[in-house]
Amino acid sequence: MAVTKIFELEDVEKHNTEKDLWMVLWGNVYDISSFVDEHPGGVDTLLEEAGGDGTQQFEGVGHSDSAKKLCEKYLIGELSEDAKAALAAKSGSGKGMNPAVIAVVIAALAAILYFVFGE
């Protein structure tokens, strides 16, 4: 069994350019520098997540099974357990409704109530 190289988030964050692009997907680290020009979605979509965790964006786009399989070619290691926990905590903190959205909804409801019941 091959030994898996372990990376910290700081290691991945250093590789955030078109010529040197690493990305985290599912807790694994991928060096996709040689794939950038081949990416069907273009360079810009990769650069948005360069040096960081692109799991949500990758899954959100609905990549095919063959795209997921292609990732194996670029796998160079995985994040440390501490780094995985930090990413999980970070992604968990983004859940829920944005306070600005809540404020708009409340204002809209207040306006509706005013026009229906107010005079």
Side-chain angles (χ1 to χ4, degrees):
M1 184 170 158
V3 176
T4 302
K5 182 147 173 109
I6 304 297
F7 294 98
E8 298 300 329
L9 288 173
E10 295 79 18
D11 300 322
V12 178
E13 291 169 350
K14 295 174 189 174
H15 302 273
N16 59 9
T17 67
E18 186 174 337
K19 300 291 182 203
D20 180 22
L21 201 158
W22 290 13
M23 187 178 298
V24 174
L25 297 172
W26 316 290
N28 294 318
V29 179
Y30 298 86
D31 179 353
I32 56 173
S33 305
S34 63
F35 177 70
V36 171
D37 292 332
E38 300 171 37
H39 185 249
V43 174
D44 292 338
T45 57
L46 295 176
L47 287 174
E48 288 174 13
E49 302 304 325
D53 185 7
T55 305
Q56 285 185 322
Q57 290 72 11
F58 187 96
E59 294 292 343
V61 171
H63 282 91
S64 66
D65 289 340
S66 61
K68 293 175 185 176
K69 181 89 171 144
L70 180 64
C71 291
E72 294 173 11
K73 176 179 177 181
Y74 302 101
L75 179 67
I76 59 171
E78 69 178 279
L79 288 179
S80 70
E81 292 304 316
D82 288 344
K84 289 177 186 177
L87 281 180
K90 183 178 176 183
S91 67
S93 66
K95 293 184 179 174
M97 291 189 72
N98 182 326
V101 172
I102 294 170
V104 169
V105 169
I106 290 172
L109 287 172
I112 291 168
L113 291 172
Y114 174 80
F115 286 112
V116 171
F117 298 108
E119 181 76 10

